[in-house]
Each structure stands twice: as C-alpha cells, then as structure tokens.
Amino acid sequence: MIAELGHFALILALVLAVVQSVLPFWGAMTDDRRLIAVAGPAAVTQFLLVGLSFAALVHAYIVSDFSVLNVVENSHSQKPLLYKITGTWGNHEGSMLLWVLILALFGAMVAAFGRNLPDRLKALVLAVQAWIASAFLLFVLLTSNPFIRLNPAPIEGNDLNPVLQDIGLAVHPPLLYLGYVGCSIAFAFAIAALIDGRIDAAWARWVRPWTLAAWMFLTLGIAMGSYWAYYELGWGGFWFWDPVENASLMPWLAATALLHSAIVMEKREALKIWTVLLAILAFSLSLLGTFLVRSGVLTSVHTFASDPTRGVFILAILCVFIGGGLSLFAFRATRLAPGGVFAPISREGALILNNLFLTVLAAVVLTGTLYPLVLEALTGARISVGAPFFNLIFIPLAVPLLIIVPFGPMLAWKRGDLRAASERLFAAFGAAILAAAVSAWLAGMDDVLALFGVALAFWLIVGALSELAFRVKLGRAPVAESFRRLAGMPRSAFGTTLAHAGVGVTVLGLVAATTWASEDILTMKAGDTVEVASRTLKLDGFQQRAGPNYAETVARFTVYDGGAAVAVMEPSKRNFAARQTMTTEAAITTFGLSQLYISLGDITPESAVTVRVFWKPLVTLIWLGAVVMAIGGILSLSDRRLRVGAPKPARRTVAAPAE
C-alpha cells in the first residue's frame, strides 16, 4: 500500500508541476497577480509530494519489501541498514527519483527564500523550474517507475552492487546531484530574464548565491567521488578521466566561470550576454552528464541504465531544454544593452581571461569525452581517449589560468596597474621560489616540472593570503588597525581567499602524489617484509571473517617505524554470495598528510598473495583543498551582502503635515 501511495504522490507531483509551469507563466505574461501567486505554494507542495514518494521508496528498502521490483533487484535482507537506505539511489530508478526530489527542493527554496525577488521574475523562474520538473517526472513515470510490483514476490533480493555498498554512496551522489540540479536555478533565472527582458546588476546578484551553492556541492561531490574511487577500487588512483568523471567536471568548470562572470556583471553591469550564456551552458552540461550516465551509451562503474528507450527520452529532454534555451538566447541577446567600459588591464580584464581559459578547458573535456562516441556512431570504430590526451591538452591550458589567479583581486576595477599588482605579490613570488628550492633539496632536480608545480601551488596559496594582507594594510599600518580592518572584512573576502588558497592546496597534493609516489607489486607469504618509505611492512598472516552479507579473507600487516610497531593494516578480499562477486578492500593508513596504501591480488593455494603497496606523499591535500574551497564558498554564501535577491529599498517615511 505504501508503494502505491508513493506512486500516486509522484503522479500528483507531475500534475502540480504542469500547473506550476503554465499558470504562473501566463500570469507573468498577463500581469495577473492571482496566477502569479500560484507559483510559490505549487513549488512547495510539489516538493512535499515528491518527498512523500521518495520516503515511500526508502521505506520499501528498509523493510525489504520484495514485492517491489526495484527492491528485489538492488537489495537483500541481510544487507546493513545504512546500505539499504543508500541503495535507494544506488540504481537507475531510485537515483532519478532522488534527482527529481532535489529539483523540487530547489524550487521550494526559491519559493521560500526568494521573497525579495520581483513577483514577475519569481513566477517566471518557478515556471521554468516546473518545465524541467515536468519533463523528469514524466520520464520517471513512463520509463523508470521505481514502484513496479511483483506477484508473486520472491523470498530474497539480488543484493546491491558490492562496489556501491560503501559510505561513499551515502555522500557522493547526493552532493553531486545537488550540484547538477543547483545549476538548474541559474538556468531558470537566465531563461526567465530573457523572457522578461530584464538583465542587470540586480539579476546577477540574485543568481550568484544559487550558482555559488551549486558550485560548492559540485566541488565536494567531485572530491568525494575521487576519494571513493581511490580507496574502494583498489587501484590507488584518484582520477581516471573516465567519461562520467568528465561529465561532472564540465559543469564545475562552467559554474566557476559563471561565478566570476556574475561578479563582473554585478559590479560593473558588463558581460551581460556572456553571463546569461554561461548560466544556460552550465545546466546544459549537467543535463549532458545525466544523459551519459542514464542513456547506456557508456559502459562505466558509474552508469546504471542501458535501456535505449530511456536514452532516447533523455536525449529529447536534452534537445528541448538546451536547444530551446540557446534559441531564446540567440533571439534575445541582440537586444541586451552593452555594459560598462573598462581597460584590458583591470579586474574585469582578469576575470574575462579567467572565463576564457575555463571555457576552453570545458571544451577540451567535452571534446575528449564525446569524440569517441560520435566516431563510433558515425563509423563504428571504437577508440578511447584517456589520460595521455587530457594531460597533454588540459594541463598546459590550466597552468596559465592558475598563474593569473592571484593577479585578479590585486587589480582595480575599470583600470588597473599591473606593476603595482606585481609588487603586492612579491611575497607570493618569493614563497614560490623558496618552495621550489626546498623541494629540489629534498627530492632532487630530476623532475623540473614537479618543482614548477610546487612553486605554482605556493604562488596560489600565498597569493591568496597576500590579497587579504593588502586589504588590511598589513605592514603598512599599525597592527591594531590591521586587526580592526581584518575583523571588519566581509565574509566574502575570506571566502575568496580560502577558495583560491584551496586550489593551491589541491595543486600541491596533485604534484606530490603523482611525482614522488612509489608503487611496489610483489608476492608475499606470512612473515615476509618489505621496505616502504623508510618503514617496514610485515605480513603477519591471514584470517577468515564473515560480514552481514559477505565472507572475506583478511591479510594482517604490521607497520614498523624505527623498530616500533606504529600501525596495523588489514586489506581484504570479499566474496558477496548473492551477486557472486569478489571485491578488493584496500587498507589505508595516514602519516601526517601522506598515506600508505595496500591492496591485495589473488591468494594462491600456497598461502601467498600478490600485494600492491603504494606510498602517496601529501595525497590528502588533494581532497583537503576541495574542502577548503567549499568552506570558502560557505563563508561567501553567509555574507550578509550576498542574499537571494537584492534588498528592497526601504519605504520613505513622510512626515504628517502640521495641523
């Protein structure tokens, strides 16, 4: 009965989404206040209905209701409760329902927190959001219904893919979906503004918080996905340039460009056409990622669906919204008034250069991802575009982008002084040279590019701090005054500093973990030892363990440093009987910012095992940098000057005439 309730709630949500997509839009076009007022309550009610539907599916997983086909195919009665819950979206149907839930959530948030938006614009934004919701609700109901019943119901389920039975499934997909779907709000604002004909600094201020929130979730989602693959797949890598990984990177690059472009538009009312286009492209790339994952055109650990019908349906959604959005943009763009004039050497100029590099990088990733698919569709030939291509093209384009990052905040609006900005960055330049020299002393001069990478990382970190030091007049004013200035700085200033410094932290982790990492592949028996990064690793032996829904063989290693045991590591091989699947569970121990990583290969009848041992120096900085970036985003979002909607002017009080 609960499953039917969830299905019925989803149907009602579709009906309400259609109402929300039509009545507020018509009200905005005819200036009918009663129809405009429908938008907010409809968006909130739609979210409640989709939430009820999602809760019904979660309930079916928790109680192991095997009369529901989706539960049979992706769950098992012996599975731990956490994985029963996360298994709700560990499949195509459930993940699409989660997508629709987050889409409805963002619509409800616009209705609840967009009180300062003009009523007409708010109605149009919610109507556009409802167009998207209607399309995906229809997709779920027609091709991906998660509430299909089985009669008779089987006694037991088929279990969830063992790779997905991990805490990463509880964190990575929701974060990534919040980022993907968050871009739909920027898209809705862009389409609404094009329809309304009003695109100005206030519009940029309204759209920036939503873009910032989507960017934060994308940052954390990509980082979590990278770390999940790193420790779960047993291969010791953190980025494979998998097409589905690329599908998340492309909207992140576009959202980063949109954030910087919206700043120029808000401050100088420039780049109007470009900012609106980026808002459309960011969501378009999010939809493209959805198509790649759900259409079956790719074979990847990330993909769920392989039904061509679903692929055609999503392709139609893709064409309607991307094609419709770009067509409306082409029709309206010529009517947008140009913004303010500025010199090439200025903060605006630096941000435009930033946008240029980011969009080219997104285009490179898009080309490398889609080219094999297009080639196969046209000729039948199969090729793979992997790390060599992306490293050859992406990295040389990313380096100049990172070099110019510290200059932007140091330049004035409208007309800047490049020489003065360079002088303010002397500390950053000195820190970069010193870091490269120390690295050469510790690791040698064998890899000059790695030394340059370390220098670039410190250039970014100290450059970000230098901008903050310049704003508080550190060293140019009494210490007490500098502290007063620091205390009075807006949170967005700290947010910008952390975001830029976080990029430097990630770059440092990438350089160290790829250049100075070590890998040993050897066969070991109980009692054997191996030296790794000045530590001794000893295989003590093997033992058998039984998990809730698996059996595992565990290898116990003791790590010795200077003769003293400092850690015990237990990598394992797990056998999931329901799926007849074997997985490798790596063991990871962190020493400072570096990690020792062990994964097992096959175990022979002679009780020998193939072992891969990695030493990953400073590898944790890769994900720590992403967290620092996200914290910077949170600080900026909490700034009282950055609200969802420009503040309405206070009413002017007119004194009553004297009697």
Side-chain angles (χ1 to χ4, degrees):
M1 179 63 185
I2 293 180
E4 282 72 27
L5 179 63
H7 189 196
F8 184 62
L10 210 57
I11 295 172
L12 287 181
L14 173 61
V15 173
L16 198 59
V18 172
V19 171
Q20 181 187 331
S21 66
V22 174
L23 295 186
F25 177 78
W26 186 254
M29 294 296 98
T30 60
D31 201 25
D32 188 327
R33 295 294 168 183
R34 293 173 301 175
L35 295 180
I36 287 176
V38 170
V44 173
T45 308
Q46 182 197 146
F47 167 65
L48 294 176
L49 287 170
V50 178
L52 177 61
S53 179
F54 188 78
L57 186 60
V58 172
H59 176 268
Y61 270 84
I62 290 176
V63 301
S64 296
D65 183 357
F66 295 125
S67 68
V68 177
L69 176 62
N70 188 260
V71 179
V72 173
E73 293 179 338
N74 301 284
S75 192
H76 191 279
S77 60
Q78 299 303 312
K79 192 168 62 172
L81 178 61
L82 173 64
Y83 302 148
K84 287 183 179 181
I85 296 173
T86 58
T88 306
W89 57 83
N91 58 88
H92 170 75
E93 293 83 2
S95 64
M96 288 310 303
L97 186 57
L98 177 63
W99 172 284
V100 173
L101 175 66
I102 295 175
L103 190 64
L105 170 64
F106 273 101
M109 290 177 65
V110 172
F113 299 110
R115 292 184 294 271
N116 287 330
L117 292 172
D119 292 338
R120 175 182 167 88
L121 178 64
K122 182 177 178 181
L124 288 172
V125 168
L126 290 176
V128 174
Q129 190 76 356
W131 297 346
I132 303 169
S134 299
F136 278 97
L137 282 166
L138 194 63
F139 171 75
V140 171
L141 288 168
L142 293 182
T143 71
S144 310
N145 182 5
F147 298 106
I148 295 174
R149 289 283 194 181
L150 283 178
N151 188 18
I155 298 175
E156 191 55 88
N158 299 334
D159 207 356
L160 180 67
N161 183 343
V163 174
L164 301 179
Q165 294 187 38
D166 185 84
I167 189 64
L169 185 62
V171 182
H172 170 56
L175 285 175
L176 206 57
Y177 286 8
L178 283 165
Y180 278 156
V181 180
C183 292
S184 70
I185 298 295
F187 174 83
F189 268 96
I191 299 302
L194 288 171
I195 294 172
D196 193 33
R198 177 186 174 185
I199 302 177
D200 52 18
W203 177 87
R205 191 172 189 181
W206 290 322
V207 79
R208 195 151 68 95
W210 299 103
T211 305
L212 181 57
W215 176 86
M216 285 162 38
F217 288 124
L218 276 173
T219 301
L220 291 174
I222 292 171
M224 181 61 216
S226 168
Y227 189 66
W228 185 12
Y230 168 73
Y231 72 78
E232 178 63 25
L233 299 182
W235 62 304
F238 42 81
W239 193 262
F240 190 64
W241 291 107
D242 180 280
V244 184
E245 291 176 337
N246 297 347
S248 64
L249 180 60
M250 288 185 289
W252 184 87
L253 292 168
T256 305
L258 175 58
L259 273 177
H260 292 85
S261 180
I263 293 173
V264 177
M265 186 173 170
E266 180 183 341
K267 299 292 185 182
R268 300 282 300 144
E269 288 211 31
L271 303 184
K272 292 181 181 180
I273 297 174
W274 179 242
T275 305
V276 172
L277 179 60
L278 281 175
I280 296 173
L281 291 179
F283 183 58
S284 298
L285 292 171
S286 296
L287 285 180
L288 179 63
T290 306
F291 171 72
L292 292 175
V293 176
R294 310 295 164 193
S295 63
V297 299
L298 293 177
T299 300
S300 166
V301 69
H302 303 83
T303 56
F304 293 131
S306 58
D307 185 351
T309 304
R310 293 170 175 172
V312 171
F313 201 119
I314 296 180
L315 183 61
I317 294 175
L318 196 71
C319 293
V320 167
F321 286 104
I322 295 179
L326 293 177
S327 297
L328 179 62
F329 171 78
F331 178 72
R332 288 283 198 176
T334 55
R335 304 183 185 183
L336 298 179
V341 178
F342 51 87
I345 304 299
S346 62
R347 189 173 299 188
E348 296 96 326
L351 290 172
I352 288 176
L353 197 57
N354 160 287
N355 268 224
L356 177 63
F357 277 110
L358 286 170
T359 49
V360 171
L361 287 172
V364 167
V365 178
L366 180 65
T367 302
T369 303
L370 295 186
Y371 177 72
L373 302 178
V374 174
L375 184 65
E376 182 179 355
L378 295 178
T379 67
R382 292 192 173 188
I383 65 167
S384 61
V385 175
F389 167 81
F390 289 106
N391 291 340
L392 181 65
I393 306 297
F394 190 93
I395 294 176
L397 288 171
V399 168
L401 168 64
L402 297 177
I403 291 175
I404 66 173
V405 165
F407 282 99
M410 292 295 190
L411 294 170
W413 293 103
K414 196 173 182 179
R415 182 179 297 276
D417 187 336
L418 186 59
R419 180 176 179 180
S422 301
E423 291 174 352
R424 295 164 192 157
L425 290 170
F426 274 165
F429 183 74
I433 297 299
L434 180 61
V438 171
S439 299
W441 177 59
L442 293 175
M445 294 290 294
D446 295 339
D447 198 325
V448 177
L449 290 179
L451 301 180
F452 174 77
V454 172
L456 180 60
F458 277 86
W459 164 255
L460 286 164
I461 297 169
V462 182
L465 297 174
S466 298
E467 191 265 337
L468 199 62
F470 172 74
R471 294 185 64 170
V472 302
K473 295 187 175 181
L474 187 64
R476 296 177 293 117
V479 175
E481 181 183 342
S482 293
F483 273 107
R484 282 196 301 272
R485 286 176 171 270
L486 187 66
M489 291 280 286
R491 293 175 188 171
S492 59
F494 293 103
T496 300
T497 297
L498 283 177
H500 290 172
V503 176
V505 172
T506 293
V507 169
L508 182 59
L510 289 170
V511 171
T514 54
T515 304
W516 295 300
S518 65
E519 176 184 2
D520 292 302
I521 302 177
L522 62 159
T523 301
M524 299 181 69
K525 293 184 178 181
D528 289 349
T529 61
V530 60
E531 297 294 323
V532 181
S534 73
R535 295 175 178 85
T536 301
L537 191 65
K538 180 182 178 182
L539 174 57
D540 299 321
F542 303 93
Q543 65 181 103
Q544 303 296 320
R545 291 180 185 171
N549 59 336
Y550 60 84
E552 67 176 340
T553 301
V554 181
R556 179 185 174 92
F557 291 85
T558 301
V559 183
Y560 295 91
D561 190 354
V566 294
V568 173
M569 302 178 67
E570 295 185 335
S572 67
K573 302 285 286 187
R574 290 181 179 176
N575 181 32
F576 291 79
R579 288 253 178 174
Q580 291 296 303
T581 301
M582 184 79 72
T583 64
T584 298
E585 301 297 319
I588 302 173
T589 296
T590 302
F591 295 95
L593 297 172
S594 305
Q595 288 186 335
L596 181 62
Y597 183 112
I598 307 175
S599 66
L600 301 181
D602 295 329
I603 301 176
T604 67
E606 294 79 21
S607 297
V609 62
T610 303
V611 182
R612 297 182 72 181
V613 182
F614 300 90
W615 173 250
K616 299 281 188 177
L618 305 184
V619 70
T620 57
L621 292 181
I622 296 173
W623 306 291
L624 180 61
V627 173
V628 172
M629 284 186 261
I631 293 173
I634 293 171
L635 281 177
S636 295
L637 199 59
S638 68
D639 193 326
R640 63 183 181 275
R641 302 180 308 164
L642 191 63
R643 299 301 187 203
V644 182
K648 291 182 178 179
R651 290 186 177 181
R652 188 175 180 182
T653 303
V654 180
E659 297 182 358

